[in-house]
Amino acid sequence: MNEHAVVSTGRIVVLVLPEVNLLDLGGPVQVFDAAAHLGAGYRLEYVADAPETVSAQGLRLAGLGPLGGAVVGPGDLVLVPGPRLRRPEPGGVRRKEGSWCRKRPCGGCVRRTTRGPGWRRCAAGPRRSARQGC
């Protein structure tokens, strides 16, 4: 058995960024939702820096959990759907979200749906590819 193997909890924490692209959010979420309806043990949670935000396409997204209250543990998956592609402003909200991702405990997996293939772990853990699983 791999000493770095982490057992999945089935918990999917979706970090919803301001101006998230709906396809980047909807596609992966639909896959986990469909799998859950077919019996897989996935649970989706949505967190953001504010209780509501607006997508890049203008759709208002509400009922988002607080970013500061989201505790992510080993075996949880953090999904970060891609925002509208533009340079972030200094001191903007994306800096807060990046800081939250860096502070989470090692062992969980982070998956970005745009700009970068594969799974990544925090600096203390090994890098893994999507094919290796989590």
Side-chain angles (χ1 to χ4, degrees):
M1 182 173 192
N2 182 347
E3 65 184 68
H4 297 289
V6 176
V7 177
S8 174
T9 63
R11 182 173 175 237
I12 312 297
V13 180
V14 182
L15 176 56
V16 182
L17 300 172
E19 295 189 321
V20 64
N21 281 302
L22 290 175
L23 187 58
D24 291 344
L25 173 65
V29 166
Q30 183 178 356
V31 169
F32 287 113
D33 181 67
H37 279 83
L38 293 173
Y42 293 118
R43 297 175 319 282
L44 290 160
E45 298 177 26
Y46 302 89
V47 298
D49 191 46
E52 64 179 54
T53 191
V54 178
S55 75
Q57 292 72 34
L59 181 65
R60 183 167 305 283
L61 304 168
L64 305 170
L67 184 63
V71 177
V72 179
D76 294 344
L77 178 85
V78 176
L79 182 69
V80 185
R84 182 183 302 262
L85 297 179
R86 68 172 63 159
R87 184 171 286 201
E89 296 178 20
V93 71
R94 289 196 179 99
R95 182 170 290 177
K96 291 178 192 174
E97 290 145 344
S99 174
W100 176 82
C101 285
R102 285 189 296 279
K103 289 178 184 175
R104 68 181 182 73
C106 296
C109 290
V110 175
R111 175 68 175 148
R112 293 184 342 186
T113 58
T114 60
R115 293 187 283 157
W119 298 93
R120 295 187 333 163
R121 289 192 180 272
C122 60
R127 288 188 176 263
R128 300 171 63 90
S129 72
R131 278 176 262 182
Q132 290 174 302
C134 196

